Amino acid sequence: GCGLGDYLDYLEQHHFSFNYCGIDILPEMIAEAKRRRPNSNFSCYDIFKEKELPERFDYTIASGIFFCGDENQMKEAIAILFEKTKVALAFNSLSDWALDKDSSEFFACPLRTLDYCRSLTPWVQLRHDYMPNDFTIFMHREKTS
């Protein structure tokens, strides 16, 4: 989810050229994001209830959305997000390789998640080197150099 729109702040601070659409499942997050950034595009949307996104995006970034739920929900969300992504999808998750785990949170297996993503596209990357408890997967529509 887009949360409060912090990623939009980051993109602007680094002078990226883009059209941004922030989506979150929580109405409270969207209300606060809109209050902070009234001229930006934020929408409340639940892909588990509506099963698809309202439009296709060049790039989709899903950060911190898999901390609750289970592997099946994660796979369902990945499939929906990738279907609506034209160029690349990036998402992160808590890793079951973590030494310290909170039993109230979902920790995904990086290799099973990677294997599932490879069933959707052969062009994937797994990063598990930036924090001990997290991993990120990048899924591309086409081969990148």
Side-chain angles (χ1 to χ4, degrees), residues 21-127:
C21 176
I23 298 173
D24 203 288
I25 195 170
L26 297 173
E28 304 84 11
M29 289 293 205
I30 294 301
E32 182 60 19
K34 286 180 175 182
R35 187 196 65 75
R36 286 182 67 231
R37 307 289 301 259
N39 297 323
S40 297
N41 184 4
F42 292 103
S43 300
C44 189
Y45 201 80
D46 183 345
I47 62 171
F48 295 111
K49 289 182 182 170
E50 300 174 58
K51 299 296 182 191
E52 69 175 62
L53 294 168
E55 60 184 285
R56 291 189 76 205
F57 302 97
D58 292 335
Y59 296 92
T60 304
I61 311 296
S63 181
I65 69 171
F66 299 126
F67 69 92
C68 62
D70 59 36
E71 186 173 356
N72 289 332
Q73 284 179 321
M74 181 182 196
K75 287 178 178 179
E76 181 181 3
I78 291 167
I80 292 168
L81 293 171
F82 193 61
E83 172 64 29
K84 290 295 186 171
T85 299
K86 297 176 190 174
V87 179
L89 163 66
F91 67 88
N92 63 0
S93 176
L94 295 171
S95 171
D96 72 357
W97 297 353
L99 298 177
D100 296 317
K101 297 180 191 132
D102 182 332
S103 62
S104 68
E105 296 177 320
F106 168 64
F107 288 76
C109 173
L111 295 180
R112 273 200 317 271
T113 307
L114 180 68
D115 192 47
Y116 174 71
C117 293
R118 289 182 66 230
S119 75
L120 301 175
T121 179
W123 299 291
V124 297
Q125 298 165 298
L126 168 65
R127 294 271 325 260

